[in-house]
Amino acid sequence: MLHRVKFAHRLLTLLVTAVALLSVVGLTAMLGGRQLAQGAESVYAQRVVAMGQLARILDHVHHVRGDVVRIVQSESRLTLDRLSGDISASTGTIDELWAEYRALPHDVEETRLGDQFESALKAWRQAYAQTLAMLARGDAFGARESLGETDAQTYVVAAVSLRKLTEMQIGLARHQFDGAMAEWNRASLTAGAVIIGGLAALAAVT
């Protein structure tokens, strides 16, 4: 009878230990998966969305530059009137996308680069507006000269600023993803340690 009681006690202890082991492993895996999911969501919400916005802004910047070049090269008031609407539409889209990008959370360096782009964009807009105004006045030579100098220089600065912001987003996305993976790896190691400790405990009980 005493032997049966001891066996039942050991069996109960074994069962409780196994349940506790499975609970801890399951909880650890769940927390690790949750942290990984949160990290992936953060990368998408803060970095992938931002990269998409910056890419579209750069595309419209190139579009405006192309329209200005075509207008000046044509030396035609008709081309100026026809493409001015496209330039205005691209300008509006750039402003909308930039406002959406600025509404996202940014660190100090991102904010600094963003301020640089805003200044560069403003300077470039003033430059190409002057170029088009020269052409509208009939000064085709002055328009071509402005297009190849101040207009071109400010355009390059604006485009480079956007590329720097995009490269920063890529680096930050990688950093956030690596952080999420590190949390998952820690959770996996913890689960492994718990399993080993639980097996040792089960061996001791049996």
Side-chain angles (χ1 to χ4, degrees):
M1 182 71 178
L2 182 61
H3 177 70
R4 289 181 179 179
V5 172
K6 288 183 178 180
F7 178 76
H9 177 71
R10 290 175 63 187
L11 184 61
L12 178 62
T13 302
L14 183 63
L15 180 62
V16 171
T17 303
V19 170
L21 174 62
L22 290 174
S23 299
V24 172
V25 170
L27 180 61
T28 302
M30 184 178 67
L31 291 176
R34 185 190 210 174
Q35 289 172 336
L36 183 60
Q38 289 175 341
E41 183 180 358
S42 176
V43 168
Y44 174 79
Q46 295 184 21
R47 306 304 167 196
V48 176
V49 171
M51 283 188 281
Q53 291 166 338
L54 293 174
R56 291 178 62 194
I57 291 172
L58 184 59
D59 182 61
H60 283 284
V61 165
H62 291 327
H63 187 77
V64 171
R65 173 63 178 175
D67 282 345
V68 174
V69 170
R70 282 191 290 272
I71 290 170
V72 173
Q73 289 178 342
S74 72
E75 298 184 10
S76 167
R77 182 58 185 261
L78 181 62
T79 305
L80 173 61
D81 293 339
R82 181 171 59 86
L83 294 181
S84 291
D86 290 345
I87 292 174
S88 296
S90 291
T91 299
T93 302
I94 289 171
D95 290 340
E96 290 175 4
L97 290 169
W98 183 246
E100 292 174 4
Y101 171 80
R102 282 296 220 180
L104 297 173
H106 300 295
D107 61 23
V108 175
E109 184 62 15
E110 286 178 279
T111 301
R112 185 185 68 82
L113 289 178
D115 292 341
Q116 285 184 358
F117 170 69
E118 285 186 355
S119 298
L121 180 64
K122 181 179 179 180
W124 175 52
R125 283 177 170 174
Q126 291 173 345
Y128 74 69
Q130 183 179 5
T131 299
L132 296 178
M134 288 179 179
L135 186 64
R137 293 195 303 266
D139 185 6
F141 176 79
R144 285 195 301 272
E145 189 175 54
S146 176
L147 180 70
E149 294 180 1
T150 307
D151 192 339
Q153 293 166 2
T154 53
Y155 159 72
V156 169
V157 173
V160 168
S161 296
L162 270 178
R163 290 193 186 98
K164 286 181 179 179
L165 275 172
T166 302
E167 290 169 0
M168 173 173 281
Q169 294 303 319
I170 294 172
L172 290 171
R174 184 66 196 179
H175 177 73
Q176 285 183 248
F177 180 75
D178 287 344
M181 287 302 300
E183 290 294 332
W184 170 254
N185 290 334
R186 278 193 288 272
S188 299
L189 290 173
T190 301
V194 170
I195 290 174
I196 293 173
L199 291 175
L202 288 176
V205 170
T206 56

